[in-house]
Amino acid sequence: MKNQVIPIFYATNNRYAPYLSVSLESLVNNSSKERQYRVIVLSDDLNLENQKKLKALSKPNISIEFVSISDQIKRMIFDKGNRENKLRSDYFTFTIYFRLFISELFPNIDKAIYLDADSIVLADIAYLYDIDLKGNLIGAIWDYFVCHTPQIINYAEGSVGMGHNKYVNSGVLLMDLSKMRAMKFSQRFLNLLQRYHLRLIAPDQDYINAIARNRILYLGDEWNVQSTMPSSVKPKLIHYNTRGAS
């Protein structure tokens, strides 16, 4: 395991760059000198000044790179004749969809971690990466807000098809990218997007739950202690998600 490079994905734009810098610094400060880490920042409208500031956090065993993929994803979506389906809203940005395409856009990576920028890492992220997914597509933690809000419970069960105690938060994901490619995860998302024009509460998260349903390894709460979650566990990662889901 120690010789493996650990890929960690973030997605951001200029607005969220300051939050990402805090998350990255916490990840770096809690990393092991014995391991190798590859941080890949999927970006949309991230200027060179912000890239330079973020890049300065790198270490000899922690590389930080930037991949602008907004145009690639837009092309994949619009090539499916899906121009009628709006991906943006007043609250969500286009970057939230980037995680849905990681498996296809990075065919040489078989396993990876995805983290939201509004997270603080309090333990070596290698411990998360080393968890055995046991054949599942993703490892994730239940979404406290969705699982404890009556109106949203009905939505999760009726619209997404997830039991109220099964719906997961997409801000921290351990992903088996090879298995996601094998089952054409990104293509399934595009097919759903083309066929249905839905008003979703947490667009990317709802699709992840729907597509990965029954192939999710539920991780310990300590890996995604959410801002709305009363928790007695010692957190390994705190997720300052807002409006319950992000």
Side-chain angles (χ1 to χ4, degrees):
M1 289 274 187
K2 286 189 176 181
N3 294 327
Q4 284 184 308
V5 176
I6 302 170
I8 305 133
F9 287 88
Y10 286 95
T12 196
N13 53 24
N14 284 319
R15 177 183 175 188
Y16 286 94
Y19 305 104
L20 175 56
S21 68
V22 175
S23 183
L24 263 178
E25 185 170 5
S26 70
L27 185 149
V28 170
N29 289 342
N30 287 283
S31 62
S32 169
K33 294 180 180 179
E34 305 289 321
R35 305 294 294 267
Q36 296 291 321
Y37 307 81
R38 179 189 178 192
V39 177
I40 304 167
V41 179
L42 308 177
S43 62
D44 177 26
D45 187 32
L46 184 65
N47 62 39
L48 292 176
E49 181 181 358
N50 279 325
Q51 290 186 33
K52 183 178 179 181
K53 290 178 180 178
L54 294 168
K55 185 80 170 179
L57 296 170
S58 61
K59 300 289 183 183
N61 65 324
I62 305 174
S63 66
I64 301 174
E65 61 193 84
F66 304 92
V67 179
S68 180
I69 62 174
S70 177
D71 289 341
Q72 297 177 56
I73 291 180
K74 288 175 184 176
R75 186 162 53 250
M76 292 172 71
I77 292 170
F78 293 151
D79 282 350
K80 298 298 178 182
N82 197 47
R83 294 181 182 276
E84 295 180 5
N85 201 325
K86 290 182 66 177
L87 286 181
R88 292 181 180 270
S89 72
D90 291 338
Y91 174 69
F92 298 107
T93 66
F94 195 74
T95 59
I96 67 171
Y97 294 93
F98 288 178
R99 72 199 82 182
L100 293 163
F101 294 90
I102 290 172
S103 61
E104 294 297 328
L105 293 173
F106 296 87
N108 295 322
I109 300 178
D110 289 335
K111 185 180 182 183
I113 294 169
Y114 172 86
L115 300 178
D116 271 352
D118 56 352
S119 61
I120 300 292
V121 181
L122 299 175
D124 185 0
I125 204 68
Y127 293 131
L128 175 59
Y129 181 81
D130 290 342
I131 293 174
D132 185 356
L133 279 168
K134 301 177 181 178
N136 290 288
L137 294 175
I138 63 170
I141 296 87
W142 56 305
D143 189 295
Y144 182 85
F145 176 78
V146 171
C147 296
H148 286 80
T149 306
Q151 299 91 333
I152 309 300
I153 288 174
N154 293 336
Y155 166 82
E157 294 181 343
S159 298
V160 184
M162 297 290 288
H164 73 277
N165 61 340
K166 297 292 185 182
Y167 183 99
V168 296
N169 183 274
S170 64
V172 179
L173 298 172
L174 179 62
M175 303 178 292
D176 188 323
L177 299 180
S178 61
K179 285 186 170 55
M180 293 173 76
R181 280 191 292 274
M183 63 94 70
K184 301 186 184 302
F185 189 93
S186 300
Q187 184 62 52
R188 291 194 183 197
F189 162 65
L190 291 171
N191 289 342
L192 288 172
L193 193 65
Q194 182 180 8
R195 184 172 181 180
Y196 303 104
H197 303 282
L198 305 174
R199 294 185 63 84
L200 302 174
I201 291 178
D204 70 300
Q205 187 165 278
D206 289 344
Y207 282 114
I208 288 171
N209 275 274
I211 299 170
R213 184 176 52 211
N214 301 323
R215 297 190 66 183
I216 301 172
L217 176 70
Y218 291 86
L219 305 174
D221 292 354
E222 67 272 13
W223 283 113
N224 189 348
V225 176
Q226 297 151 49
S227 57
T228 54
M229 178 193 292
S231 179
S232 59
V233 302
K234 182 178 179 180
K236 294 180 179 177
L237 187 149
I238 298 175
H239 182 197
Y240 292 94
N241 55 326
T242 56
R243 290 179 58 172
S246 69

